[in-house]
Amino acid sequence: MKNPVLSPVIAGGALIAVNATAGAFDAVIVRFVSADMHVFEIAFFRNAFSLLFLLPFLVRAGGMDFSSRFWGVHALRAFLKLGALVAYFLAILQLPLAVAMSIIFTTPLFTAFGSIVFLGERARPARVISALVCIAGVLIVLRPGAAPIGSGAVLALASAVGLGLVGMLMKLSAGREQPARIAWFNLVITVPLAFLLCLPFWTTPSLPILCLLALQGACGAVAQLSFAKAMTLADASAVLPVDFIRLPIAIVLGSVFFSETTDVAVYVGGAIIFASAMMLIRLERGRARRAAEAD
């Protein structure tokens, strides 16, 4: 048998790069359409088009089934994810893209914290050290002494907290539900909920705006599929460092489309935040591997 053209790590890293690029363009589209639509409506169309693009994959994976013993978990996860998405959209309307992206890198920290508080996992030294490093990175990005912390930063942190809790609930569902079913339940709950939220603010989009929203939904679907596939190809700690390209991509897109300038502190703080997340992932993976070998 011939060796594959790409090793699993390289292929997984390439998919993470696709995920990061799609996520960055997602933010740009929000900026473009926000003048014509409320963020609740943007969230609705984003999820609706993602569901439309993911349907063929869900059908093929056999994930479209309403029977589950974990409807409560699915509903809570969908609610948190929608809230985090709306908070993120509001944040990127108030912050430079690079700053918002840097703060979102704190998500793994909140997943670990939620696992300690709600799932009873131990507060291991690796988690404490990672948290302290992450906090230092956030302070460097936000520079609270040099400038007041505005609502945009609070919203970005709230989004990271929400996504972190979603990750915690994903851990709770691990081994009990297939990824395709988790995606299915998330979207069939989120789409009608987002529709109800946006009704008071409804504005019928023009054709160009609708095309941008469809592109945004496609970006969301591509990002989700790329990330899920990457996690099956290689260890997360081996491929997730590639996600850091999200920051330079956001810097370039912010400069090209919105004439944003980026302070050196964002580079430094963003790198520290991301390094803390990767340190946590590597140490946790190593601990899990040693525990499996001991068994």
Side-chain angles (χ1 to χ4, degrees):
M1 180 183 296
K2 294 182 178 180
N3 291 327
V5 176
L6 296 177
S7 70
V9 172
I10 294 176
L15 288 169
I16 292 296
V18 171
N19 171 70
T21 304
F25 274 98
D26 186 1
V28 170
I29 293 172
V30 171
R31 286 272 189 92
F32 280 144
V33 302
S34 62
D36 300 284
M37 308 182 72
H38 194 277
V39 290
F40 286 165
E41 196 172 0
I42 298 173
F44 163 68
F45 278 106
R46 202 262 199 193
N47 283 285
F49 278 117
S50 290
L51 176 59
L52 181 64
F53 284 111
L54 283 172
L55 274 178
F57 300 95
L58 293 172
V59 171
R60 188 169 60 184
M64 298 174 63
D65 180 3
F66 287 98
S67 61
S68 175
R69 293 181 298 140
F70 307 104
W71 263 102
V73 174
H74 290 305
L76 179 58
R77 184 168 52 227
F79 178 80
L80 288 171
K81 194 167 185 179
L82 178 59
L85 185 66
V86 171
Y88 174 64
F89 287 170
L90 290 169
I92 61 179
L93 296 179
Q94 301 180 41
L95 296 173
L97 293 182
V99 174
M101 295 290 177
S102 297
I103 295 175
I104 291 299
F105 284 149
T106 62
T107 296
L109 171 68
F110 292 113
T111 298
F113 182 76
S115 299
I116 293 171
V117 174
F118 298 108
L119 302 184
E121 296 185 2
R122 292 176 55 195
R124 300 182 183 89
R127 290 178 169 179
V128 175
I129 295 172
S130 176
L132 294 175
V133 174
C134 184
I135 291 170
V138 171
L139 292 176
I140 290 173
V141 171
L142 298 180
R143 294 179 301 162
I149 297 178
S151 58
V154 174
L155 286 164
L157 284 170
S159 179
V161 171
L163 292 174
L165 294 177
V166 168
M168 179 203 70
L169 291 172
M170 291 287 288
K171 292 176 66 174
L172 187 63
S173 301
R176 302 178 184 181
E177 296 275 13
Q178 294 298 318
R181 286 176 54 77
I182 292 174
W184 165 247
F185 279 109
N186 175 71
L187 289 170
V188 297
I189 295 171
T190 300
V191 170
L193 178 59
F195 179 70
L196 291 175
L197 288 174
C198 76
L199 275 179
F201 311 97
W202 184 265
T203 301
T204 302
S206 63
L207 182 58
I209 295 296
L210 192 64
C211 290
L212 282 175
L213 292 168
L215 178 61
Q216 184 191 28
C219 285
V222 167
Q224 185 168 336
L225 291 172
S226 299
F227 186 84
K229 182 62 176 177
M231 293 300 99
T232 66
L233 289 174
D235 189 280
S237 60
V239 297
L240 279 180
V242 180
D243 191 57
F244 190 66
I245 70 168
R246 190 185 300 258
L247 180 57
I249 290 173
I251 291 170
V252 171
L253 293 178
S255 174
V256 171
F257 291 110
F258 310 110
S259 301
E260 293 179 351
T261 57
T262 304
D263 194 280
V264 175
V266 176
Y267 289 93
V268 176
I272 291 174
I273 295 168
F274 190 79
S276 71
M278 290 312 307
M279 177 178 67
L280 177 64
I281 291 171
R282 286 183 179 275
L283 291 173
E284 291 289 324
R285 291 277 179 169
R287 185 195 62 80
R289 191 180 301 113
R290 289 191 296 272
E293 291 172 354
D295 292 338

